[in-house]
Amino acid sequence: MKFFIDTANLDQIREANELGILDGVTTNPTLMAKEGVKGEAAIAQHYKTICEMVDGPISAEVLSTTFAEIVEEGKKLAAIHPNIVVKVPMIKDGIKAIKWFTDNGIQTNCTLVFSAGQAILAAKAGATFVSPFIGRIDDSSWDGVQLIEQIVSVYNAQGFMTEVLAASIRNPLHIVRCAEAGADVCTCPLSSILGLLKHPLTDIGLEQFLKDAKSMQ
Ligand code: G3P
């Protein structure tokens, strides 16, 4: 399973990248706005900086909702760097645009996916990635990981090539369960990635080893 970081914060991207286990980055308009990035030029520059930091797919989301505008915006985003993946919402014009990008060699990430039916449409349009939002499903008392299992099983049964990118990850257990479910990618906040490190027996064991190591000096 690939690890992406789900942020537009350059310090967090750097910290995750320094671990050596980062395969890519996803952003969305909320995450970009959080960083205070404003205006077309600044947005493009921010994506370029991220692409120069991490050698892997970098999702940049369109802000348009009509076919013609999504295509125009997506072409501009894709021109920023070869690693840019155009992130497109799961709407009717979004599906049309994903098909257009597929036919024109531009990678896409179909976002705001909450059902297997939507995931089938994204795959039929040739999306590179599909992003089911599992945390937001859990927030409404459904099981987000069950959706990952269902999409993985449908894609395997049908031979779809679209990669299942589990998004809206809220904790380390989500990452483990998505790995079990066969997700191709997990995009996580830095806190969830670092949470995977934690185990009290590791800390207790290390403390003892260091104490014993001292007695040998
Ligand atoms: O990037 C999309 C997704 O990961 C958003 O997560 O936490 O806002 O539901 P969240």
Side-chain angles (χ1 to χ4, degrees):
M1 186 173 74
K2 288 176 231 171
F3 266 57
F4 291 179
I5 188 166
D6 194 27
T7 185
N9 181 278
L10 300 182
D11 289 335
Q12 290 189 15
I13 293 171
R14 190 170 299 109
E15 187 175 338
N17 201 30
E18 281 170 359
L19 281 173
I21 50 95
L22 196 63
D23 300 298
V25 180
T26 52
T27 63
N28 64 36
T30 305
L31 296 171
M32 289 290 279
K34 232 176 166 176
E35 298 311 307
V37 191
K38 272 199 176 113
E40 208 178 315
I43 291 172
Q45 182 50 54
H46 201 80
Y47 288 138
K48 194 163 179 265
T49 305
I50 295 174
C51 289
E52 284 161 1
M53 289 170 74
V54 179
D55 186 19
I58 312 296
S59 286
E61 187 157 344
V62 295
L63 308 176
S64 319
T65 52
T66 64
F67 171 73
E69 286 171 337
I70 294 172
V71 165
E72 272 325 292
E73 203 185 336
K75 281 198 286 187
K76 281 188 199 162
L77 289 170
I80 294 171
H81 192 279
N83 285 350
I84 288 283
V85 174
V86 180
K87 203 171 176 187
V88 181
M90 166 44 75
I91 53 175
K92 198 171 168 190
D93 280 38
I95 288 298
K96 277 167 72 178
I98 288 171
K99 179 69 172 79
W100 188 93
F101 290 130
T102 304
D103 292 344
N104 287 275
I106 292 174
Q107 299 197 89
T108 52
N109 175 354
C110 184
T111 189
L112 289 167
V113 166
F114 293 91
S115 75
Q118 291 178 325
I120 290 172
L121 270 183
K124 286 294 291 176
T128 318
F129 300 100
V130 66
S131 287
F133 277 27
I134 70 164
R136 292 192 195 185
I137 293 175
D138 286 4
D139 289 345
S140 53
S141 80
W142 292 55
D143 185 350
V145 177
Q146 262 182 21
L147 176 61
I148 299 294
E149 287 168 0
Q150 190 184 17
I151 296 172
V152 168
S153 133
V154 168
Y155 279 14
N156 286 343
Q158 297 298 328
F160 287 136
M161 300 305 288
T162 299
E163 292 190 43
V164 180
L165 190 165
S168 186
I169 297 287
R170 300 282 167 77
N171 55 57
L173 184 57
H174 268 156
I175 303 176
V176 174
R177 290 192 65 212
C178 285
E180 268 180 339
D184 299 290
V185 190
C186 235
T187 189
C188 326
L190 180 62
S191 57
S192 299
I193 299 176
L194 296 180
L196 291 173
L197 287 166
K198 288 187 196 159
H199 199 288
L201 290 179
T202 304
D203 300 336
I204 294 168
L206 181 62
E207 199 184 333
Q208 186 65 48
F209 284 160
L210 292 176
K211 209 166 128 203
D212 293 340
K214 258 193 192 148
S215 74
M216 297 187 300
Q217 284 164 3

